[in-house]
Amino acid sequence: MKVLVATDGSKYGRWALDWVAMLPFVEPVKVMALHVLDFRTLRALRGPFLSQAEGERYIQEEIQRMEARSAKALKKAKQQLASLNLTGTVRKEQGAVAPTILKRAPKRDGLLVVGSQGLDALDRFMLGSVSTELIQYATCPVLVVKKESAPLRRITLAIDGSDASAQALAFVLAKVQPDHSTGKGGRVPIQVAVIHVMPFLKYPELKEAGRRLVEQSAQKLIQAGFTAEAVCQLGKPAEEIMKVASKHRADLIVMGAKGLGAIARFLLGSVSTRVVQHSSCSVLVVR
């Protein structure tokens, strides 16, 4: 599987590579660590109090500083790939950050990994500021990393009956090993909490359909070797998904990029961005 990791020299960029090495993928991965330099907005930093010559000198100094930090980040990324025994390459490109990452992102069967935050705005890397754009426009699943990597033991899988949430379930079934190593030679199943959030409606048939949906999904996971629990909640989707993830101490939330239409009142697609922005654990958004 092809994996693109966006790195900017921040700890979140380093954590992104660590996550790729730690995730129990079924098939081997080939990694490209991409570092993007965006110089376009530097000219706006000149300000009204600098002469043109002083402004240009300042801009050139900033470019040199950014290039130096870029070289350092690329070197560390290469060293990290080697230390993690990951097969892959490191690449630097120049341009607008999100469009450049999207241009290099793998197709539907691959994975894009990005940190939820990056270096400060003055450095013009700003990975955190582009993660929302990536989950909206990438054609492949996007993993937004929030914290340091750890063995994947608990997943919260949010579903709503949409094609995107079906793809989220399919990703877990097809791409993720159903168990993890205990470190003592044994393996135990990964726990999955399958959650479906229903609005406060008085239609019993909708509640029953939601219950069947999570139970059927949980059964598929159990048959594949995971342990799974079906969870039906009433309320606002984003808040309930994060509550369940916190209660189950999830290492990862998996959800679809787009949900059912507004008329169906589930709206998973409208909450994926909110979950990415506010969740305390990492989030995988699948198309």
Side-chain angles (χ1 to χ4, degrees):
M1 179 172 66
K2 292 183 178 180
V3 179
L4 178 68
V5 179
T7 181
D8 66 349
S10 69
K11 66 181 181 181
Y12 290 90
R14 295 192 300 273
W15 291 351
L17 274 175
D18 288 337
W19 266 84
V20 174
M22 185 66 73
L23 283 172
F25 290 117
V26 171
E27 59 184 283
V29 297
K30 185 175 182 180
V31 181
M32 175 189 288
L34 178 64
H35 183 75
V36 182
L37 281 174
D38 185 359
F39 298 130
R40 298 171 308 142
T41 53
L42 280 176
R43 297 191 179 279
L45 300 175
R46 186 172 60 192
F49 305 109
L50 297 177
S51 67
Q52 183 174 354
E54 290 172 331
E56 289 300 324
R57 184 171 63 252
Y58 170 75
I59 289 170
Q60 291 305 313
E61 289 174 353
E62 282 296 301
I63 289 175
Q64 290 174 8
R65 187 181 67 85
M66 291 170 65
E67 289 281 11
R69 295 186 71 163
S70 175
K72 184 178 179 180
L74 290 167
K75 181 179 179 180
K76 287 186 175 180
K78 288 179 182 178
Q79 293 172 341
Q80 190 177 2
L81 279 174
S83 66
L84 295 171
N85 293 318
L86 289 172
T87 300
T89 58
V90 175
R91 183 184 184 97
K92 180 179 79 171
E93 293 200 10
Q94 183 176 327
V97 178
T100 303
I101 293 172
L102 289 170
K103 182 178 68 176
R104 291 294 177 186
K107 302 303 180 184
R108 188 174 298 273
D109 290 336
L111 178 66
L112 171 58
V113 186
V114 63
S116 62
Q117 298 182 39
L119 293 173
D120 56 59
L122 185 60
D123 288 301
R124 301 300 158 192
F125 293 95
M126 304 186 296
L127 276 190
S129 68
V130 302
S131 59
T132 298
E133 189 170 348
L134 296 180
I135 64 173
Q136 290 176 343
Y137 296 107
T139 59
C140 65
V142 180
L143 170 61
V144 181
V145 171
K146 295 293 193 82
K147 58 178 64 176
E148 293 181 85
S149 64
L152 184 63
R153 294 186 171 91
R154 289 172 289 273
I155 296 172
T156 294
L157 173 64
I159 60 174
D160 71 344
S162 66
D163 290 341
S165 69
Q167 290 297 321
L169 172 62
F171 184 97
V172 175
L173 291 171
K175 303 292 187 181
V176 179
Q177 292 279 2
D179 52 20
H180 66 86
S181 173
T182 62
K184 300 178 181 180
R187 301 188 71 85
V188 297
I190 293 173
Q191 303 172 20
V192 184
V194 185
I195 177 175
H196 175 66
V197 183
M198 295 175 287
F200 293 101
L201 295 177
K202 298 180 180 180
Y203 299 103
E205 59 272 20
L206 285 180
K207 295 181 180 180
E208 178 61 22
R211 184 188 62 79
R212 288 197 305 269
L213 177 66
V214 291
E215 289 181 352
Q216 290 169 359
S217 299
Q219 190 58 39
K220 290 178 181 179
L221 289 160
I222 292 170
Q223 291 172 353
F226 296 87
T227 61
E229 175 185 355
V231 181
C232 288
Q233 297 286 106
L234 292 175
K236 297 179 179 179
E239 284 72 11
E240 295 303 322
I241 290 167
M242 289 185 283
K243 284 180 184 177
V244 169
S246 177
K247 178 182 177 181
H248 289 257
R249 292 175 296 149
D251 304 303
L252 179 67
I253 295 173
V254 181
M255 62 190 305
K258 294 182 179 180
L260 294 172
I263 194 170
R265 310 309 301 170
F266 292 99
L267 301 171
L268 255 193
S270 69
V271 301
S272 58
T273 298
R274 182 170 177 79
V275 172
V276 166
Q277 291 174 341
H278 299 287
S279 170
S280 60
C281 69
S282 298
V283 183
L284 175 64
V285 180
V286 182
R287 273 182 168 75

